[in-house]
Amino acid sequence: MEGEKMKCEIIPERCIACGLCQTIAPEIFDYTDEGLVLFVGEPGATHEFVPEAQQAVVIESAKRCPSHAILYQDSL
Ligand code: SF4
């Protein structure tokens, strides 16, 4: 996936506010006051293109999210 943009989707309705994704990818994921996932750069968005340098941690977050609230290009 060198040089390609990867698309990420978050589904806050599925999020159980566990905090894991923000620990794994703090430059991408943050939380609402209720602890539900949002994008650091676009708090109102549910889709974002992920810079190449962050793609590995976004994929790890998606795979480890206990409620499957994070999707990325290959799983969309
Ligand atoms: S890992 Fe999943 S359930 Fe946990 S805070 Fe992130 S999106 Fe929500």
Side-chain angles (χ1 to χ4, degrees):
M1 192 175 286
E2 189 175 329
E4 291 185 19
K5 289 182 177 178
M6 187 183 81
K7 191 176 178 184
C8 177
E9 177 180 358
I10 52 174
I11 306 171
E13 304 82 56
R14 291 186 183 173
C15 177
I16 58 168
C18 76
L20 188 61
C21 59
Q22 199 271 341
T23 301
I24 298 170
E27 294 185 34
I28 299 295
F29 301 116
D30 201 356
Y31 302 107
T32 66
D33 291 343
E34 290 77 38
L36 301 178
V37 66
L38 54 74
F39 287 120
V40 171
E42 299 177 76
T46 55
H47 295 76
E48 182 174 280
F49 284 106
V50 180
E52 195 172 353
Q54 295 293 321
Q55 291 177 5
V57 287
V58 166
I59 291 170
E60 183 181 350
S61 298
K63 288 182 174 174
R64 294 178 62 185
C65 173
S67 59
H68 305 287
I70 301 169
L71 308 177
Y72 60 96
Q73 185 176 2
D74 292 343
S75 60
L76 287 174

